[in-house]
Amino acid sequence: MFCSLRWQQQGHCTKVPRNANMEKLQHGYLFPEIERHELMHLEKYPHANIIDLGIGDTTEPLPKFVTSSMVDFVHGLSTTKGYKGYGPEQGEKALRNAITEVFYKDLGIKPTEVFVSDGAQCDITRLQLLMGPNLKIAVQDPSFPAYIDSSVIIGRAGEFIDKAGKYKNIEYLKCGPQTNFFPDFSTTSKPELIFFCSPNNPTGHAATRKQLQQLVDFAKVNGSIIIFDSAYSAYITDDSPKSIFEIPGAREVAIEVSSFSKFAGFTGVRLGWTVIPEELLYSNGFPVVHDFNRIMCTCFNGASNIAQAGGLACLSPKGFRAVKSLVGYYMENARILVKALASLGLTVYGGKNAPYVWVHFPGSKSWNVFAEILEKTHIITVPGSGFGPGGEEYIRISAFGPRESIIEASERLKNLLYIEDN
């Protein structure tokens, strides 16, 4: 079943009106739309060897140490001593302590400020629920589509402006190469919520310390809250900050969401976390962390205790070394893709601090580039315009995949573009 707006009236209708905000969503959610195109392509070419470099889904097996820890926990559930039912909605104490120690050591984050969840994307929507419906938001352009779509569903986006490809009440912060992938705050209004992802999905750009200090300073002056998505921070290879809380003043203006999905391969296991500092206050002085705790207790029964056992294993010294090797594997894939595409004279971004390669096709519509690559090479990519109007003329290529598939895809792309140039 696809997240699509296609429907046909069938049978009895109730008297319950459809949520007006749902009617404002444009087309289908990006990644199910990509899957729909893939299925259509398979119908046309049933024997095609499709290489999927589109949806950023991890492909390599989990480390045995991690899966063994989950298996041991599962076996324990069949014993009187090892059985566990409901756990704390905020997450198991041991895992909250481990997240704090591994990712936020010396940054002043307390375990009580860490909320374990079933993933960063789910937390993004819970954070939308946390805030009032009339707040003005700003997003990077391009950026992960869940920030915008969840804003539409919650009622903050306003009407969609077809000509601009934007929602009226969302401020799109240009973050392309012309601005060094960072907003120009001198031309920005005063949004109450700022969604910011670093390393950015889709461009792969990791904001510098100086850039993030500007972001924090802007939020502080304007009274904004930053929702900082650090889901890809484990892929940073230079000295770019891996957490917003490395920046002085961030505890007073920022929330951080993160995930085990991409650095530990938990895309199917489902585990993430959100950090809300005690110093983050609403305009009336009430701590945001108290309301988020209420949201978690009301709307969530806690992450799977099996997944949390796996997460705890990932953050042990042995487990962390193992998952870091997975990160290195995907980054080598990215290097191979960047080298292949750059050798063709294409302008290529990303692939240094994130497992995504952002490729420019000047003067082209990104959906047309996506369609041509799929038709002629049987490779799935993602059209850049799916990440916002700033993504037009680009495609995103994921480095998640088996090495042999990455090498094969590189050769197919080189052959396609070489033939077209000649």
Side-chain angles (χ1 to χ4, degrees), residues 120-173:
Q121 186 164 348
C122 299
D123 278 348
I124 287 165
T125 301
R126 292 186 189 105
L127 288 167
Q128 294 275 27
L129 185 63
L130 175 70
M131 307 295 177
N134 299 319
L135 301 181
K136 183 172 183 180
I137 74 163
V139 298
Q140 292 161 290
D141 183 22
S143 68
F144 184 47
Y147 310 143
I148 290 176
D149 282 9
S150 61
S151 298
V152 174
I153 292 170
I154 209 73
R156 292 197 190 98
E159 298 299 326
F160 186 75
I161 304 171
D162 284 297
K163 187 174 182 180
K166 301 177 180 180
Y167 285 92
K168 180 180 179 181
N169 295 340
I170 295 178
E171 184 162 8
Y172 293 73
L173 307 175

Side-chain angles (χ1 to χ4, degrees), residues 30-31 142-146 148 202 358 366-367 382-389 391-392 394:
L30 175 61
F31 300 113
S143 68
F144 184 47
I148 290 176
W358 188 239
S366 59
W367 274 102
V382 181
S385 60
F387 299 96
E392 192 62 273
Y394 291 84

Side-chain angles (χ1 to χ4, degrees), residues 56-73:
D57 192 4
T58 52
T59 58
E60 296 309 293
L62 299 178
K64 287 187 177 180
F65 175 76
V66 174
T67 55
S68 294
S69 298
M70 289 191 280
V71 168
D72 290 345
F73 185 89

Side-chain angles (χ1 to χ4, degrees), residues 264-286:
F266 273 32
T267 50
V269 177
R270 307 306 306 150
L271 194 67
W273 72 90
T274 289
V275 178
I276 303 186
E278 294 173 353
E279 293 93 326
L280 184 66
L281 308 176
Y282 291 113
S283 59
N284 67 353
F286 191 81

